[in-house]
Amino acid sequence: MGGAARASPTNAGTGDVLTLGSASGWPTGCSTEGGAMKLSAVNRCQVILSESIGKLPIYCTDDVTHKRLRHELLYLLNVRPNEAMSPSIAKQMVESNRLSGGNGYMWIVRSPRSGKPVELIPLPWEIVNPWRDTHGLVWYGVIHPWTGEPMVLPSEDVIHVKAYTHDGLHGISVLRRASEVIAAGRATQQYELSYFSNGGHPAGVLSTETDLSGKIVRTKADGTTETVTRRDVIREEWERVYAGARNAHRTAVLDFSMKYQPISMSNADAQFVESKAVTVEDIARFYGVPLSKLYAGKQAYNSNEQNAIDYVVSTLHPIVTQYDEELSYKLLLNSELSKGVKLCFNLLAELKGDTTSRGAWYKAMREVGAFSADDIRDLEDMPSIGEGGDIYYGNKQFAPLDQFREICAAEGGKNQ
């Protein structure tokens, strides 16, 4: 939304009209990141999403056999990506940049000898400029984060995750796409602040039939003089006596047949509670974050539980898929990719808080033979139970799968 100034009423007859209170309208520049982050809903959405990505562990798997593999890259991804950051902080930084700037970057520092990654360094989106050359190859102009020197990196040395994009190279941030909604929300917040700082009194006008044209000379506190209009003197005196929280509810005494008329809605008439709720809902939709995570809307355990699952499936899963694809393509060797090796985020970590649903899911998967006891313990970050832990059971009285057909055949014979 724009910040068009509120128009003052026109003069009537020979009298004058003085506009009081905040006449500058709603503030501009609310769509910037700094202004938007002051809005609690936007800040909360960014924190939730970046922390959700930051806490997810990464594993290496064989896409053919679906078995987890040990890989030296997991040290960088899950233990220490660089000297200054833990893995969660590094991932949070990349995701935060993806949300606020539309592009999240991570510099892959490689060994000069082997070419293997030795450090992963997140880069602020402001210092990176992606571009294509005449052959269609992608390059990244980067300002070195420590020395400030410009450098050019090839595509294979930069992890690049994007927000919504039109050209596949430059992401468009959530803040930019949601700028109008966020600006309205920020303006509402600023209006409330101005409203209550003026003691709950709306802006208004003083009207009088007296001619207030002309100027007067007055002496300032430092002894110097200044020339001001009669209207300015009356306006300043009114705001000195009646404006501000300390002067709220004071009885106004009007001279010169003056009349006071408000030109703004009261806080009740504007229904700020309802308008603020709509703004929070709109922001939540842009980010794909349930209202329950913003401590807004109706709080019910069952609905919040379903919203949390939907958050993982509808919001996090598409984001994580992009991370999986980019990390695998940029960090793994072509020979590994051709064999089906890939890097994946473990989304189950996001659902670990719901023990009831998780337990029911494990039980169902165990009874149909999809999970063994060791599979479940592995998902819970627990060690193998040893002998018998890798046995899969079916739902025929929990018989071992390798004997399932024989047991079913034997029971069939007995029933004949």
Side-chain angles (χ1 to χ4, degrees):
M1 294 185 63
R6 186 184 296 119
S8 301
T10 56
N11 293 346
T14 59
D16 281 279
V17 175
L18 286 77
T19 303
L20 303 175
S22 176
S24 59
W26 284 359
T28 58
C30 297
S31 60
T32 63
E33 180 186 357
M37 287 297 286
K38 295 178 182 177
L39 195 64
S40 61
V42 176
N43 180 71
R44 182 63 181 160
C45 285
Q46 300 231 139
V47 169
I48 287 172
L49 283 166
S50 60
E51 289 184 347
S52 293
I53 295 298
K55 71 182 180 183
L56 297 179
I58 302 174
Y59 62 91
C60 184
T61 183
D62 187 327
D63 199 29
V64 179
T65 64
H66 299 287
K67 291 184 178 180
R68 295 193 181 187
L69 307 174
R70 295 183 178 274
H71 201 288
E72 58 187 345
L73 284 172
L74 296 181
Y75 180 85
L76 288 177
L77 296 171
N78 291 329
V79 180
R80 205 71 181 175
N82 59 71
E83 185 177 355
M85 303 177 191
S86 64
S88 61
I89 292 298
K91 287 179 284 188
Q92 284 180 39
M93 182 176 173
V94 174
E95 180 61 14
S96 177
N97 276 271
R98 189 189 73 86
L99 293 170
S100 61
N103 301 275
Y105 300 103
M106 186 177 286
W107 177 19
I108 306 172
V109 181
R110 301 182 184 273
S111 168
R113 295 183 178 180
S114 63
K116 294 182 179 180
V118 294
E119 273 192 310
L120 299 175
I121 302 175
L123 300 171
W125 65 270
E126 300 94 334
I127 67 172
V128 183
N129 178 38
W131 52 278
R132 289 188 178 94
D133 63 15
T134 55
H135 300 287
L137 299 177
V138 176
W139 300 85
Y140 292 87
V142 180
I143 302 299
H144 197 287
W146 303 307
T147 66
E149 295 293 326
M151 58 182 180
V152 177
L153 298 176
S155 177
E156 57 266 26
D157 286 346
V158 178
I159 301 292
H160 184 186
V161 288
K162 311 171 187 71
Y164 181 82
T165 177
H166 290 308
D167 60 4
L169 184 59
H170 302 88
I172 302 174
S173 71
V174 178
L175 297 182
R176 179 178 166 189
R177 290 190 292 125
S179 59
E180 290 188 1
V181 173
I182 294 172
R186 176 66 179 145
T188 300
Q189 190 180 68
Q190 290 290 336
Y191 181 81
E192 272 193 321
L193 177 63
S194 174
Y195 182 91
F196 287 109
S197 67
N198 286 316
H201 292 292
V205 296
L206 283 175
S207 60
T208 178
E209 297 299 325
T210 304
D211 185 4
L212 298 180
S213 61
K215 299 181 180 181
I216 61 175
V217 178
R218 65 181 179 182
T219 304
K220 297 192 295 183
D222 59 1
T224 60
T225 60
E226 63 177 349
T227 302
V228 295
T229 65
R230 297 179 185 273
R231 286 188 292 269
D232 290 335
V233 173
I234 295 176
R235 181 188 293 108
E236 291 172 6
E237 183 65 14
W238 175 276
E239 293 180 346
R240 182 186 68 82
V241 176
Y242 300 112
R246 291 188 305 172
N247 297 322
H249 312 298
R250 294 188 65 180
T251 302
V253 179
L254 303 179
D255 296 327
F256 304 109
S257 301
M258 287 186 176
K259 297 179 181 180
Y260 176 79
Q261 294 178 333
I263 60 173
S264 298
M265 292 183 182
S266 68
N267 205 32
D269 292 338
Q271 296 181 334
F272 271 75
V273 174
E274 288 78 6
S275 66
K276 182 177 291 186
V278 171
T279 301
V280 171
E281 290 174 358
D282 286 338
I283 291 171
R285 290 190 191 103
F286 274 107
Y287 282 95
V289 174
L291 281 174
S292 58
K293 289 185 176 292
L294 302 181
Y295 308 111
K298 296 181 179 179
Q299 301 296 319
Y301 177 79
N302 291 336
S303 60
N304 288 350
E305 177 185 349
Q306 292 303 315
N307 288 336
I309 295 173
D310 184 67
Y311 169 67
V312 173
V313 175
S314 302
T315 301
L316 285 186
H317 190 228
I319 298 173
V320 164
T321 298
Q322 184 183 173
Y323 275 91
D324 293 346
E325 295 169 345
E326 186 74 358
L327 289 173
S328 298
Y329 183 72
K330 297 291 180 67
L331 294 178
L332 295 173
L333 300 175
N334 288 333
S335 58
E336 294 174 315
L337 293 173
S338 63
K339 295 178 182 178
V341 178
K342 64 179 183 179
L343 298 169
C344 301
F345 278 77
N346 184 7
L347 274 173
L348 289 176
E350 179 65 27
L351 296 174
K352 279 194 173 182
D354 185 5
T355 56
T356 302
S357 298
R358 197 168 74 254
W361 183 60
Y362 285 156
K363 184 176 184 292
M365 298 297 284
R366 174 89 160 122
E367 291 180 358
V368 299
F371 281 178
S372 68
D374 279 352
D375 291 335
I376 296 173
R377 293 176 67 84
D378 183 52
L379 292 172
E380 291 294 306
D381 297 321
M382 299 171 67
S384 170
I385 62 177
E387 185 177 355
D390 58 348
I391 297 177
Y392 294 85
Y393 292 95
N395 59 0
K396 193 72 172 180
Q397 298 177 352
F398 301 102
L401 289 182
D402 58 351
Q403 304 174 25
F404 192 77
R405 293 183 178 180
E406 290 83 352
I407 293 175
C408 289
E411 290 188 356
K414 291 178 182 179
N415 293 331
Q416 293 179 351

